């Protein structure tokens, strides 16, 4: 028995899984660079959100065409990859169709896999046409140029190629079963690949075996490469959509998060029993930075959001500021946050696990105040996101930094806050003049 293919397969599997594990550990480290956030509340609702939104694709069908096609690709990805278990075991032990002992159930499985593979090919073709021929508006935005655009197409190419390899492998396998070639035992039904096998009808046995083995190897190599491509791609949401929907805020969308540092300072100011000149822990240890200017100031949930972004653009498509020509794009906010986080990650890697100050930050170097102040805080982007990402939380934290650390609010906002401070209302009228309108 020739064990060389089994040994090569095991080495390939170990290398691929090892590289993937390394990237996962780096991903977790990067997310943990964020500040702590308590997500222990409302567990039943969190589980419900995860099952409905991530597993059940509950928000995808709001746009039926893209939603249904995405569900087909999603189901194809999950169900077809169940066969990966058989392929991996066959590769390790040198068997062929190890699960064929399941009999009729196995036939149903293979038939279902083939139909789904065919539907995936149709779906990714439609997606490619929508992106590159119809040029759907949300895929033509400024932030979706260069690598981001190529990445979206690369994923479609990979998915289509993997499905073609799967069906071609089965077509050759089916023809070898018809010829009763060992070890290609009679197993499975092939509703799609049996038609492809017609093209191989006059192929010699050696050519059929070569096609089947080549497609088998290319398919498994492709899957393992795709697994490790995830970290560098927007397709990372395949994995992160589940924890992201679980850890997403369960507060009503209009209820913004209270900055505990600000709350603590206000309570100290309003408490008449506290001596502001006394040597207390609050006086000795000044409060931490108000708001956020870099990724270190964001919470780990916000950083998880950045890595989970699917770059689908539904948030930007619904943003009233973007629709009226403002510079703000919620998708761009998430992509820039991820880009800065990756820059910080490379800095840490190159400095033996320690971040070396690079005189850059998320604010200004990546996200401009113009973008932040264009936001109307309407929550449309949060509502539109199919995986519960919250760009608004990052925008509001960075705005808070601009106001409370840099006094850099727009003039209109400064005037309003001055009026509230001096007149008790946002308007430039004194209290004594408020009822003048009634005298007429």
């Amino acid at each position: 028995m020739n064990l060389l293919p089994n040994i090569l397969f095991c080495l390939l599997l170990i290398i691929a899984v090892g590289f993937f594990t390394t990237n996962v550990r780096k991903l977790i480290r990067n997310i943990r660079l964020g500040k702590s956030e308590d997500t222990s509340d409302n567990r039943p609702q969190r589980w419900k959100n995860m099952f409905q939104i991530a597993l059940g694709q509950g928000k995808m069908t709001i746009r039926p065409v893209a939603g249904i096609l995405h569900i087909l690709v999603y189901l194809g990805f999950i169900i077809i990859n169940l066969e990966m278990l058989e392929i991996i075991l066959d590769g390790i032990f040198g068997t062929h169709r190890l699960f064929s002992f399941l009999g009729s159930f196995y036939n149903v499985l293979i038939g279902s896999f083939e139909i789904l593979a065919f539907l995936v090919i149709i779906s990714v073709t439609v997606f490619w046409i929508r992106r590159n021929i119809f040029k759907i508006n949300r895929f033509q935005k400024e932030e979706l140029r260069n690598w981001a655009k190529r990445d979206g197409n690369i994923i479609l190419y990979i998915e289509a190629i993997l499905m073609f390899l799967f069906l071609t492998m089965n077509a050759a396998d089916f023809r070898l079963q018809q010829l009763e070639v060992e070890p290609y035992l009679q197993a499975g039904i092939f509703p799609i690949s049996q038609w492809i096998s017609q093209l191989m009808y006059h192929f010699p046995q050696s050519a059929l075996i070569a096609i089947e083995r080549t497609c088998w190897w290319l398919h498994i190599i492709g899957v393992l490469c795709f697994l490790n491509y995830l970290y560098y791609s927007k397709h990372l949401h395949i994995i992160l959509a589940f924890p992201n929907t679980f850890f997403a805020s369960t507060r009503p969308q209009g209820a913004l998060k209270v900055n505990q540092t600000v709350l603590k300072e206000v309570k100290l100011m309003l408490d008449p029993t506290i001596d502001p000149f006394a040597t207390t822990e609050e006086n000795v240890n000044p409060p931490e930075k108000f708001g956020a200017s870099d990724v270190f100031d964001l919470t780990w949930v916000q950083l998880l959001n950045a890595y989970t972004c699917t770059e689908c653009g539904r948030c930007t498509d619904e943003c009233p500021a973007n629709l009226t020509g403002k510079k703000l794009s919620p998708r761009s906010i998430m992509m820039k946050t991820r880009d800065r986080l990756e820059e910080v990650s490379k800095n840490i890697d190159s400095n033996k696990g320690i971040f070396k100050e690079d005189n850059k930050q998320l604010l200004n170097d990546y996200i401009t105040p113009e973008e932040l102040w264009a936001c109307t805080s309407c929550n449309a982007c949060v509502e539109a996101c199919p995986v519960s990402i919250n760009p608004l939380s990052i925008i509001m934290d960075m705005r808070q930094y601009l106001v409370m650390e840099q006094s850099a609010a727009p003039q209109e906002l400064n005037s309003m806050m001055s009026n509230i401070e001096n007149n008790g209302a946002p308007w430039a009228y004194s209290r004594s003049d408020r009822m003048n309108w009634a005298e007429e």
Side-chain angles (χ1 to χ4, degrees), residues 411-431 434:
Q411 181 57 42
E412 297 84 355
L413 186 57
N414 281 330
S415 298
M416 184 196 73
M417 290 189 291
S418 296
N419 289 331
I420 291 174
E421 182 179 1
N422 297 323
N423 304 323
W427 304 284
Y429 303 105
S430 68
R431 290 180 176 87
R434 284 186 184 173

Side-chain angles (χ1 to χ4, degrees), residues 178-416:
Q178 288 181 319
L179 296 174
E180 298 183 349
V181 177
E182 290 292 338
Y184 297 93
L185 48 88
Q186 298 289 327
I189 55 175
F190 307 94
I192 305 298
S193 60
Q194 65 177 337
W195 299 104
I196 301 175
S197 71
Q198 298 299 313
L199 301 174
M200 307 175 186
Y201 192 79
H202 297 293
F203 285 15
Q205 177 180 312
S206 58
L208 291 170
I209 293 175
I211 292 171
E212 191 276 333
R213 285 291 84 193
T214 300
C215 289
W216 187 94
W217 275 102
L218 290 176
H219 180 74
I220 187 63
I221 291 172
V223 169
L224 293 177
C225 288
F226 182 70
L227 177 69
N228 285 287
Y229 178 68
L230 290 180
Y231 177 81
Y232 308 96
S233 163
K234 75 186 187 76
H235 245 51
L236 192 57
H237 73 268
I238 291 175
I239 300 171
L240 295 186
F242 294 91
N244 196 76
T245 51
F246 181 84
F247 292 118
S249 172
T250 57
R251 295 188 306 271
Q253 286 187 5
L256 297 177
K257 181 177 62 176
V258 175
N259 187 314
Q260 294 302 314
T261 305
V262 175
L263 182 63
K264 181 180 177 181
E265 290 296 302
V266 171
K267 286 181 176 179
L268 288 173
M269 292 167 59
L270 297 178
D271 191 342
T273 64
I274 294 179
D275 180 1
F277 302 103
T279 304
T280 63
E281 180 183 350
E282 288 77 12
N283 291 338
V284 173
N285 300 314
E288 59 184 279
K289 180 193 295 183
F290 293 117
S293 64
D294 207 353
V295 291
F296 301 103
D297 308 318
L298 300 174
T299 69
W300 66 267
V301 174
Q302 291 170 318
L303 300 185
L304 174 62
N305 278 189
Y307 272 122
T308 307
C309 180
T310 70
E311 299 178 16
C312 67
R314 293 188 179 205
C315 54
T316 297
D317 216 27
E318 298 290 340
C319 176
N322 189 273
L323 292 173
T324 53
K326 305 296 191 301
K327 191 175 181 181
L328 172 66
S329 166
R331 171 173 59 189
S332 179
I333 295 293
M334 303 315 301
M335 292 173 68
K336 289 174 179 178
T337 301
R338 183 179 61 208
D339 289 345
R340 171 58 179 163
L341 188 52
E342 275 300 292
E343 183 179 52
V344 168
S345 174
K346 292 175 182 176
N347 183 310
I348 293 173
D349 290 339
S350 60
N351 290 288
K352 299 180 180 179
I354 300 173
F355 177 72
K356 184 177 180 180
E357 182 57 50
D358 58 0
N359 297 317
K360 296 176 71 175
Q361 59 179 3
L362 183 61
L363 180 63
N364 294 319
D365 290 307
Y366 284 84
I367 299 173
T368 65
E370 180 185 352
E371 294 172 82
L372 299 174
W373 291 116
C375 177
T376 66
S377 65
C378 67
N379 270 297
C381 57
V382 184
E383 178 65 28
C385 181
V387 288
S388 300
I389 292 170
N390 190 340
L392 179 61
S393 68
I394 295 177
I395 292 172
M396 297 305 291
D397 283 355
M398 296 183 75
R399 274 185 179 181
Q400 194 171 68
Y401 175 83
L402 287 170
V403 173
M404 302 191 72
E405 292 283 345
Q406 295 189 333
S407 299
Q411 181 57 42
E412 297 84 355
L413 186 57
N414 281 330
S415 298
M416 184 196 73

